Amino acid sequence: MASLGELERAVMDLLWAGQEAATANTLRDLLAQSTQPQDGTVGHVGKDLAVTTVLTVLSRLERKGLVERERGTRPHRYQAVSSRADHTAELMHEVLGSAPDREAVLARFIGSVTDNEAETLRKLLGRS
Amino acid sequence: MASLGELERAVMDLLWAGQEAATANTLRDLLAQSTQPQDGTVGHVGKDLAVTTVLTVLSRLERKGLVERERGTRPHRYQAVSSRADHTAELMHEVLGSAPDREAVLARFIGSVTDNEAETLRKLLGRS
DNA sequence: ACTTACTTCTACGCCACGTAGAAGTTGCTC
DNA sequence: GAGCAACTTCTACGTGGCGTAGAAGTAAGT
């Protein structure tokens, strides 16, 4: 239940980027903009999509529990359920969780982490 | 390019479990056995598959770079390219890699790790 | 040469996802 | 309060991955 499609990911990226809940139309516009001349934004460059397409995707994301919508307001407003960092961390746990040899995995994982990140991890883990 | 199907995963589990390279037939038998009365093995319980099915899956796994085969021997022998731990760790890096806020992700990640694992991680990270 | 074991090719059904039109609903305006 | 405009829901189609396997091709032993 982990992976997202390309468009789904693009939408999530937008939702994660903006702090406010967004409408389908807003998202459609943002998705269209992303392609403009000098594009800085990543992802799904400049798709000019129908609003219904965005809505379909949002529904699917809602079904997957990644997005929730306020049904009260007239144009429903959508927002990510959890932050990107939370979601990614959860994904990592999911990947790790399916392993019978968690420690071995962690060993490999740590083994191929950058020095900076190792330092970060040490700090996060508190003093040994 | 990450996720595996159910059968693909079952096959990988077998390849990861056995240390020797295996033939399609062997794998087919192992997949069939797994269902027997008192099953201990996880996964895909007791599918009685055609050998061609297993071969198809193995080809796909080969294409994905997870498996390699010796073409010399007459019944080709298949083996996992990397250990399960390596593969899982790689997956974790993949998940993490797609995040612009790696540190935040790591923070969340270790925030929800068991005490034991935190301890393991401290050991793995060693002193500076 | 014939049979037998093994491999490759081709294929079908299902489901996720990108994509969107058609149909239904709600709220504003005259 | 009837009609329009905006919005949502329903339905659907094309593509591609995966489970599944038969048909066709190839090699190896008798």
Side-chain angles (χ1 to χ4, degrees):
Chain A
M1 240 264 267
S3 74
L4 298 182
E6 194 178 354
L7 179 53
E8 289 175 331
R9 173 151 299 277
V11 169
M12 287 311 297
D13 279 342
L14 288 175
L15 291 178
W16 277 324
Q19 45 278 72
E20 287 303 309
T23 70
N25 266 296
T26 308
L27 292 169
R28 184 188 56 71
D29 293 345
L30 290 174
L31 286 169
Q33 268 172 238
S34 335
T35 197
Q36 247 49 301
Q38 283 79 303
D39 177 19
T41 30
V42 214
H44 225 264
V45 256
K47 300 287 215 162
D48 216 334
L49 298 169
V51 192
T52 51
T53 301
V54 179
L55 282 164
T56 302
V57 167
L58 283 167
S59 292
R60 288 174 182 164
L61 289 170
E62 194 186 16
R63 171 157 34 95
K64 295 186 193 181
L66 292 185
V67 154
E68 59 190 3
R69 76 171 104 185
E70 310 169 21
R71 284 197 134 87
T73 67
R74 186 42 171 157
H76 294 179
R77 303 182 74 80
Y78 297 78
Q79 62 190 338
V81 163
S82 53
S83 76
R84 191 212 314 262
D86 276 342
H87 176 252
T88 308
E90 210 172 293
L91 264 191
M92 287 177 64
H93 274 295
E94 232 171 79
V95 171
L96 175 61
S98 71
D101 44 3
R102 296 168 67 97
E103 303 214 354
V105 174
L106 287 175
R108 306 297 194 296
F109 178 73
I110 295 304
S112 51
V113 99
T114 71
D115 287 355
N116 277 342
E117 280 162 356
E119 192 48 44
T120 306
L121 284 172
R122 276 190 209 96
K123 276 179 198 137
L124 288 167
L125 284 165
R127 18 99 288 121
S128 49
Chain B
M1 240 265 267
S3 74
L4 298 183
E6 193 178 355
L7 180 53
E8 290 175 331
R9 173 151 299 279
V11 168
M12 287 310 298
D13 278 342
L14 288 175
L15 290 178
W16 277 325
Q19 45 279 69
E20 287 303 312
T23 70
N25 266 296
T26 308
L27 291 169
R28 185 190 56 70
D29 292 345
L30 289 174
L31 285 168
Q33 268 172 238
S34 337
T35 195
Q36 247 49 302
Q38 282 80 302
D39 179 18
T41 31
V42 213
H44 225 265
V45 255
K47 301 285 213 163
D48 215 334
L49 299 169
V51 191
T52 51
T53 300
V54 179
L55 281 166
T56 302
V57 167
L58 284 167
S59 292
R60 288 175 183 163
L61 289 171
E62 193 185 19
R63 170 157 35 93
K64 294 187 193 180
L66 292 185
V67 154
E68 60 189 4
R69 76 171 102 184
E70 310 169 22
R71 282 197 136 88
T73 67
R74 187 41 172 157
H76 295 179
R77 303 181 74 80
Y78 297 79
Q79 63 190 338
V81 163
S82 53
S83 76
R84 189 213 314 263
D86 277 341
H87 176 253
T88 307
E90 211 174 292
L91 265 191
M92 287 177 64
H93 274 294
E94 232 170 79
V95 170
L96 174 61
S98 70
D101 44 1
R102 297 168 65 96
E103 304 215 353
V105 174
L106 288 175
R108 306 299 193 294
F109 176 72
I110 64 144
S112 51
V113 101
T114 71
D115 286 355
N116 276 344
E117 280 163 355
E119 191 49 45
T120 305
L121 284 173
R122 276 192 206 96
K123 276 179 200 136
L124 287 168
L125 285 164
R127 71 277 121 184
S128 73

